[in-house]
Amino acid sequence: MSWRKLPVNLTELCLDTTLRCGQSFRWTKSEDNIWSCALHGRVLSLRQDAAHLYYRALFPEILHTPPTPPSSAPPSADGMANEIDDTKELVYHYLNLEPNLTELYEQWSSADRNFEKKAPKFAGVRILRQNAWEALVGFICSSNNNIIRISQMMEKLCVHYGPLIGHIDARPYYDMPSPTRLTGSKVEGHLRELGFGYRAKYLHQTAIMITQQDARWLDSLRNPESPILGHAKSSAGDMLPGGREGYRKAHEQLLALQGVGPKVADCVCLMGLGWGEAVPVDTHVWQIAQRDYKFGKGKHRSLTKLTYDAIGDHFRTLWGKEAGWAHSVLFTADLRAFSERLSSKIEIKEEIKQEDAASVVSKDVIEIEIKEEDGVNPSSEPIAKVKLPPSMSVKRELIEEGSLDKPEKYTVHGRRKRQKGSISGPRG
């Protein structure tokens, strides 16, 4: 299948942020900036530029009697077929492209100054509409874990238990295994051998519990306003302080599964079942709540069940029924992988007159520029300039501060004594 495109700009969707911010753990990125994942019986590939989202799909080869001897070449796009190609609908659905994200960001910013500061550097973050089973497995694996290791676990799970869908440049892509595939008596031990640790038991027992339920049980917990692909929407009822009734019911039932606590249940509700008001509170969000929303004092000094619920209720009061989506933008801003977007760099342009080997230079005019890096649309234009008098010299170094919320500091070296000054960049 050749590339097709949808008119989606980076403000409405940023793949590089959305696909690596801890929602889904199976997307891989190639050297030419193409994201690929086995989804819904095909290998889906995505890329984008400033104005468009591009997509293509690789379907499994139609089964024929194999040649003799069997071909060792991976199947190509020309050999793929599917009677009904619903890839456009899948892309639109999976990436949750219907809501106007610019309007949502404006709504959340008007309700919260902290969001207003952080959000401009993290435009285009969307909550994916994932398969509920995949979300459940991924977030059971997330316990005491990081995104890289969770991704490795999901890859191993698919390779050893999931169906092979196809190859891209000789790389195989496997889809998620069904719950039934994880119910065998040897599964737990094998997963431990693969490095899943105590999570192996949780995955095995949860798979057994789900297969003992009605086949549609997980999807019956889904927000009817965010149905599975191909189904019509219906009302989810009135929004209440603790979330809609359907959300609270889904959260409660998920807690009965092995390896599922309040945070994992909320992750599944938000990213697998479409309940936008679900607010998962992990260590990142707890730090955000203390730093930016005055939690961590009095009865909310530690992250108890009472505090967990209070944080969720506070964000639901601020942002409404998409509080989990808004919270995910702040969560992304707190991840180390994206910390460069909240930093600025000082670059020194010099007319060099070398003084010594210690990398100290003298200038007739020293011009300092602060450039902002947003990670999406980097600009070469400086956001501030300062000129120092010719009697001063500046040590040639790159100074980075962690956040533009604080004044940027630099050190000026005089010929006789050291002084300190500061430059205030724009607030995030």
Side-chain angles (χ1 to χ4, degrees), residues 148-206:
I148 293 175
R149 288 194 67 230
I150 301 166
S151 300
Q152 292 170 346
M153 288 180 178
M154 294 294 281
E155 174 75 6
K156 292 176 182 177
L157 195 72
C158 293
V159 167
H160 287 273
Y161 294 96
L164 175 63
I165 302 300
H167 294 74
I168 296 179
D169 296 331
R171 174 181 177 137
Y173 283 84
Y174 295 82
D175 209 339
M176 279 292 295
S178 67
T180 304
R181 291 281 292 138
L182 302 183
T183 59
S185 60
K186 297 181 180 180
V187 168
E188 180 183 341
H190 186 217
L191 291 179
R192 287 185 182 275
E193 292 175 1
L194 293 175
F196 283 72
Y198 63 86
R199 305 167 195 87
K201 179 180 179 181
Y202 294 155
L203 291 173
H204 179 235
Q205 292 186 348
T206 289

Side-chain angles (χ1 to χ4, degrees), residues 9-128:
N9 62 41
L10 287 164
T11 302
E12 287 296 309
L13 170 69
C14 177
L15 287 177
D16 281 350
T17 306
T18 300
L19 297 182
R20 65 186 185 108
C21 69
Q23 294 188 59
S24 177
F25 306 99
R26 295 197 300 120
W27 287 90
T28 61
K29 188 179 181 181
S30 68
E31 292 182 357
D32 48 356
N33 295 319
I34 296 173
W35 291 92
S36 298
C37 181
L39 285 176
H40 290 259
R42 75 208 77 187
V43 182
L44 179 64
S45 295
L46 303 171
R47 62 181 175 88
Q48 69 179 149
D49 58 27
H52 291 92
L53 170 69
Y54 300 84
Y55 66 92
R56 69 181 178 191
L58 183 71
F59 288 96
E61 191 172 10
I62 298 175
L63 295 178
H64 296 292
T65 303
T68 304
S71 172
S72 61
S76 66
D78 294 336
M80 303 298 155
N82 195 38
E83 290 184 2
I84 302 175
D85 183 4
D86 61 349
T87 302
K88 179 180 179 180
E89 290 75 18
L90 170 61
V91 169
Y92 199 83
H93 174 88
Y94 181 83
L95 295 175
N96 198 10
L97 293 178
E98 181 178 352
N100 185 307
L101 194 52
T102 301
E103 292 179 359
L104 285 175
Y105 270 50
E106 289 174 353
Q107 173 189 325
W108 299 330
S109 294
S110 66
D112 179 21
R113 285 291 305 279
N114 184 54
F115 188 93
E116 184 182 24
K117 288 194 301 181
K118 300 286 178 63
K121 296 182 178 64
F122 295 90
V125 177
R126 286 191 176 266
I127 294 296
L128 304 173

Side-chain angles (χ1 to χ4, degrees), residues 388-403:
L388 302 179
S391 60
M392 311 296 287
S393 66
V394 178
K395 185 177 180 182
R396 187 179 352 188
E397 61 185 352
L398 190 65
I399 304 170
E400 284 194 48
E401 292 293 328
S403 171

Side-chain angles (χ1 to χ4, degrees), residues 272-421:
L273 296 172
W275 292 104
E277 66 263 50
V279 179
V281 182
D282 65 353
T283 55
H284 288 284
V285 178
W286 172 230
Q287 290 166 1
I288 292 168
Q290 293 178 87
R291 184 185 67 225
D292 301 327
Y293 296 94
K294 299 182 179 179
F295 281 87
K297 301 176 182 178
K299 62 182 179 180
H300 298 310
R301 185 170 299 173
S302 59
L303 188 53
T304 62
K305 175 66 164 59
L306 178 68
T307 302
Y308 185 102
D309 292 341
I311 293 172
D313 290 345
H314 179 73
F315 287 157
R316 282 185 280 270
T317 300
L318 273 180
W319 301 316
K321 69 177 185 178
E322 298 294 352
W325 192 337
H327 125 286
S328 294
V329 177
L330 298 185
F331 172 87
T332 302
D334 205 58
L335 291 176
R336 184 179 301 174
F338 299 105
S339 61
E340 76 279 359
R341 299 192 192 177
L342 292 178
S343 70
S344 67
K345 292 181 180 179
I346 295 179
E347 296 182 358
I348 301 174
K349 288 186 176 179
E350 20 180 340
E351 297 171 10
I352 298 178
K353 177 182 175 184
Q354 201 75 27
E355 280 192 345
D356 55 39
S359 193
V360 176
V361 295
S362 173
K363 305 173 179 64
D364 291 331
V365 175
I366 300 171
E367 185 179 88
I368 297 178
E369 295 185 357
I370 299 180
K371 292 184 180 180
E372 187 174 37
E373 292 188 347
D374 64 9
V376 178
N377 291 313
S379 171
S380 61
E381 294 300 315
I383 58 176
K385 290 185 179 181
V386 172
K387 292 186 177 181
L388 302 179
S391 60
M392 311 296 287
S393 66
V394 178
K395 185 177 180 182
R396 187 179 352 188
E397 61 185 352
L398 190 65
I399 304 170
E400 284 194 48
E401 292 293 328
S403 171
L404 281 175
D405 295 341
K406 298 178 181 179
E408 302 302 324
K409 295 185 177 181
Y410 63 90
T411 301
V412 178
H413 301 272
R415 288 207 170 94
R416 294 187 178 179
K417 69 176 182 177
R418 179 176 298 182
Q419 305 175 41
K420 288 190 176 180

